[in-house]
Amino acid sequence: MRLHLPATRIVSLRNFKLHLNQMIELEMPTFQLAEFMAGALAAMHWKARMDARDVEFVLGSAPTYPLIKPLTLSELEETEPDTYTEMKVCRKSSFMQRSVHLWMLDFNQCSVISMDMLGVQQAVQAYLINDPYYPRPPQSDENDHDLALWNVFATKYLRISDAILRETPELRALPRKFVQLVMKEQGEKVKKQEEAATASAQAL
């Protein structure tokens, strides 16, 4: 006899935390995900001009649309303008074969930033408050993967920022100031934590 559990035990909208070591164990593309996060953050800072305070990154899935074949040139020429062509080249959506997407959520605490050092400092504080979601600047005791992950993140962030600010070259120094300040503030934060831990151990 099949046991029917209450619906509340089956369906949950709660997010589950996924830590870096778990992602590595699952052989997930951590560097690619770091690049996606960097691009999203760069767009928030320099396109939307928001500090991205308290945003969340979550992994979710969506149905796939298997491709049958692209339309030929003659088929395109015979197609009326504004014709919806998706159903001509795709099968019905597949809810069994799903694709994974990285989503950025929760913008209710985001604030506008100015395009100057005050805005950079505001963005840095938002980053540090939300740092569990982001790759962290390398510290002396971190492993090679953490260092590589930060380098990938920072490089992609600067590359996307430069592309966004290509028509305002006078602002292109700001993303670099952001990266430098994040590294400085994170280093000071770690140092204070180590000093507090040492003082606590000595007091015992």
Side-chain angles (χ1 to χ4, degrees):
M1 182 176 67
R2 178 176 296 178
L3 178 63
H4 294 277
L5 297 176
T8 54
R9 296 288 300 277
I10 300 174
V11 179
S12 173
L13 297 179
R14 181 165 58 92
N15 293 333
F16 295 94
K17 294 180 180 180
L18 187 61
H19 298 278
L20 178 59
N21 62 318
Q22 296 170 320
M23 297 173 72
I24 295 173
E25 186 176 349
L26 292 170
E27 299 183 354
M28 296 179 65
T30 54
F31 294 111
Q32 186 178 19
L33 291 172
E35 286 188 322
F36 290 154
M37 293 172 67
L41 188 63
M44 284 289 293
H45 286 166
W46 312 116
K47 187 67 175 179
R49 301 192 174 188
M50 306 291 285
D51 60 10
R53 184 184 180 92
D54 202 43
V55 298
E56 296 182 5
F57 290 93
V58 299
L59 291 172
S61 65
T64 57
Y65 299 86
L67 186 67
I68 299 176
K69 67 178 183 65
L71 295 176
T72 64
L73 179 59
S74 60
E75 289 173 330
L76 288 172
E77 290 175 343
E78 295 172 358
T79 301
E80 293 293 327
D82 301 321
T83 298
Y84 181 68
T85 61
E86 181 178 2
M87 298 310 297
K88 293 184 178 182
V89 298
C90 295
R91 300 185 182 94
K92 293 180 64 176
S93 57
S94 172
F95 288 88
M96 298 300 293
Q97 296 179 344
R98 304 179 69 86
S99 58
V100 177
H101 298 267
L102 183 68
W103 300 88
M104 178 188 270
L105 307 175
D106 291 349
F107 305 99
N108 59 304
Q109 293 190 37
C110 295
S111 299
V112 175
I113 58 173
S114 54
M115 294 292 100
D116 53 24
M117 278 306 299
L118 288 177
V120 170
Q121 291 169 352
Q122 180 181 336
V124 168
Q125 291 306 311
Y127 184 98
L128 295 175
I129 289 171
N130 208 30
D131 71 350
Y133 280 99
Y134 298 114
R136 300 179 187 180
Q139 303 299 319
S140 58
D141 60 344
E142 290 187 331
N143 60 39
D144 292 340
H145 188 278
D146 294 330
L147 175 60
L149 198 64
W150 166 257
N151 288 337
V152 166
F153 178 85
T155 300
K156 188 69 171 184
Y157 175 85
L158 293 176
R159 187 176 300 165
I160 298 297
S161 298
D162 284 346
I164 293 171
L165 299 173
R166 62 183 178 275
E167 296 182 1
T168 51
E170 68 277 9
L171 300 179
R172 291 178 65 179
L174 296 179
R176 286 157 179 79
K177 294 290 186 182
F178 170 81
V179 171
Q180 293 167 3
L181 199 52
V182 164
M183 295 181 67
K184 177 183 176 183
E185 293 287 342
Q186 181 67 22
E188 293 177 354
K189 179 180 177 181
V190 171
K191 183 178 179 181
K192 289 179 181 178
Q193 290 173 343
E194 291 174 346
E195 291 174 348
T198 300
S200 178
Q202 292 175 347
L204 295 178

